[in-house]
Amino acid sequence: MAGGFGGGVEASKRAEFYQGRITGYFILACIVGSLGGSLFGYDLGVSSGVTSMDDFLKKFFPKVYDRKQAHLHETDYCKYDNQVLTLFTSSLYFAGLISTFGASIVTRNYGRRISIMVGSVSFFLGGAVNAGAMNIAMLIIGRILLGVGIGFGNQAVPLYLSEIAPYKIRGAVNQLFQLTTCLGILIADIINYFTDKIHPWGWRLSLGLAMVPATMIFIGGLFLPETPNSLVEQGRLEEARRILEKVRGTHKVDAEFEDLKDASEAARAVKNPFRNLLAPRNRPQLVIGALGIPAFQQLSGMNSILFYSPVIFQSLGFGSGAALYSSIITGSMLVVGALVSMSVVDRLGRRFLFMEAGIQMISSMVVVAVTLALKFGTGETLSKGVAVLLVIAICLFVVAYGWSWGPLGWLVPSELFPLEARSAGQSVVVCVNLFFTAAIAQCFLAALCHLRYGVFILFAGLIVIMSIFIFLLLPETKQMPIEEISQLFEKHWYWKHIISKDSSRVSHKNPSTTKQISADA
């Protein structure tokens, strides 16, 4: 479960006395809380499908439609290269990265539950505006509202799941966020297939149905319990104790509750949580969790694979249904990967999944790049043999991402931060993630047009760097209470030297003022 760091050695000793069982109340909280991922997933799936629908392109992007028709049966790297079209996609992410800082204030002061519900309301409004859009300006406004919803949801949901879960299964529970994201993508892909046949307003239905998961989350949020961590942080101790007992299914929660109070005391002493992130003692969490992992998650090349797979499947002879089949297959691979990760992450560990997937993803990218270099982009269709090879490579890449960088990109940052920096840290995580998502969404089609197959070589090189980063800097966190994770960095070959500088500086201060000095760092 969550506690923060503030317990030190005492917390380490208390953790072995944590008690509890899996209760129906806990399961319900996890299901409702994890639905926040469906907002992100549905938008990812529906926007990629809608931007390829002829009726949508003819109304808002006629030049792209004309170019697409000119290359309808040919492979062409540049047919979708249009900066206004990519702005339709990326505007959501820019809105999300800005709104997540407001979400941090709401999450810290009013709780994770309220932040999730605020996100669902904004997402609902965005879906309504997009469904009724009459011009590009309305589309962008709708996307901005959707982005605010995702900024709030992505900020609060991973925290909620990590805090509500018993520490021994924290990894699996947190990955419910990734599972619902993948299911949202898959459902959106299926919806797009059927709405594409409804002329000329099918795209409106696809965009408008975003209101359905938003409504479900808002209604579920009315019955969702706040996390004990957040309640303790707000000073509502009796309510926090009652919720903790109900979630754990036992009255013997003294050890865990004491850890929560210790962590909360440290959290309340921090006057500026964002400034606190810069303290040397939080440097590992800042570099690994807030900057490195969320950036690398988007630099893995996953978006490039998802984008170009429809053309490859079209070459297999699926014709007009190519987009459906490619989306269904890649979406299914993501779901399979998420399920595999949930089942093994707390046994095999985070590092193992990162490293194994790195090797698999690099190999797949090299196969795709070499094949495209030899056979693709010359105005001819691919042979079925070549296309089958690419399909296999794509599936291996997607499933590896699905059990590594996809879910772990949210899990690991959410469990690294101490309570006093957790909300602020998660805001930086979401901001960095959405910034790189937006940047790649805005630049990828142009890069694909100019670099051609070289863009896949670039991503393969980035995955090599990502894997080295994880191997050298990330300690294993499986089956550890959150309040003990800071001790891993104190023993790490590199981070212990950074942390020791902060410790030595504090030790020279007056002991009576140490707490306040730490708070202001």
Side-chain angles (χ1 to χ4, degrees), residues 159-339:
L159 294 186
Y160 184 90
L161 295 175
S162 283
E163 291 184 344
I164 205 76
Y167 72 89
K168 290 186 178 180
I169 59 170
R170 186 178 63 244
V173 171
N174 182 276
Q175 291 192 21
L176 287 170
F177 176 76
Q178 177 68 10
L179 179 61
T180 55
T181 299
C182 296
L183 289 173
I185 293 172
L186 191 57
I187 292 171
D189 291 336
I190 296 172
I191 289 174
N192 281 338
Y193 172 71
F194 290 105
T195 57
D196 190 33
K197 301 176 185 297
I198 304 174
H199 303 288
W201 52 270
W203 61 270
R204 294 187 185 275
L205 183 58
S206 286
L207 295 176
L209 285 174
M211 294 183 287
V212 174
T215 301
M216 292 172 58
I217 292 167
F218 183 83
I219 294 175
L222 297 175
F223 306 97
L224 194 67
E226 184 55 83
T227 67
N229 307 64
S230 180
L231 293 172
V232 170
E233 192 174 16
Q234 298 172 51
R236 297 153 64 182
L237 298 182
E238 292 184 5
E239 186 179 353
R241 172 91 188 205
R242 187 176 72 254
I243 294 295
L244 183 60
E245 291 176 355
K246 197 170 183 180
V247 170
R248 295 289 177 260
T250 178
H251 294 293
K252 299 178 180 179
V253 296
D254 292 338
E256 190 168 2
F257 192 62
E258 287 302 314
D259 281 345
L260 294 185
K261 290 196 293 184
D262 285 351
S264 178
E265 183 179 352
R268 281 196 296 269
V270 174
K271 305 304 180 184
N272 191 325
F274 285 99
R275 188 192 222 174
N276 184 54
L277 288 174
L278 301 177
R281 65 179 176 278
N282 289 325
R283 193 65 47 79
Q285 292 90 332
L286 178 66
V287 173
I288 300 173
L291 301 177
I293 288 179
F296 285 139
Q297 186 190 48
Q298 296 307 316
L299 293 173
S300 64
M302 184 64 187
N303 290 341
S304 65
I305 288 292
L306 290 179
F307 168 76
Y308 228 55
S309 58
V311 176
I312 296 168
F313 281 83
Q314 187 176 17
S315 300
L316 279 171
F318 290 126
S320 60
L324 166 70
Y325 292 111
S326 63
S327 298
I328 291 289
I329 290 177
T330 53
S332 298
M333 289 296 101
L334 282 174
V335 173
V336 169
L339 291 172

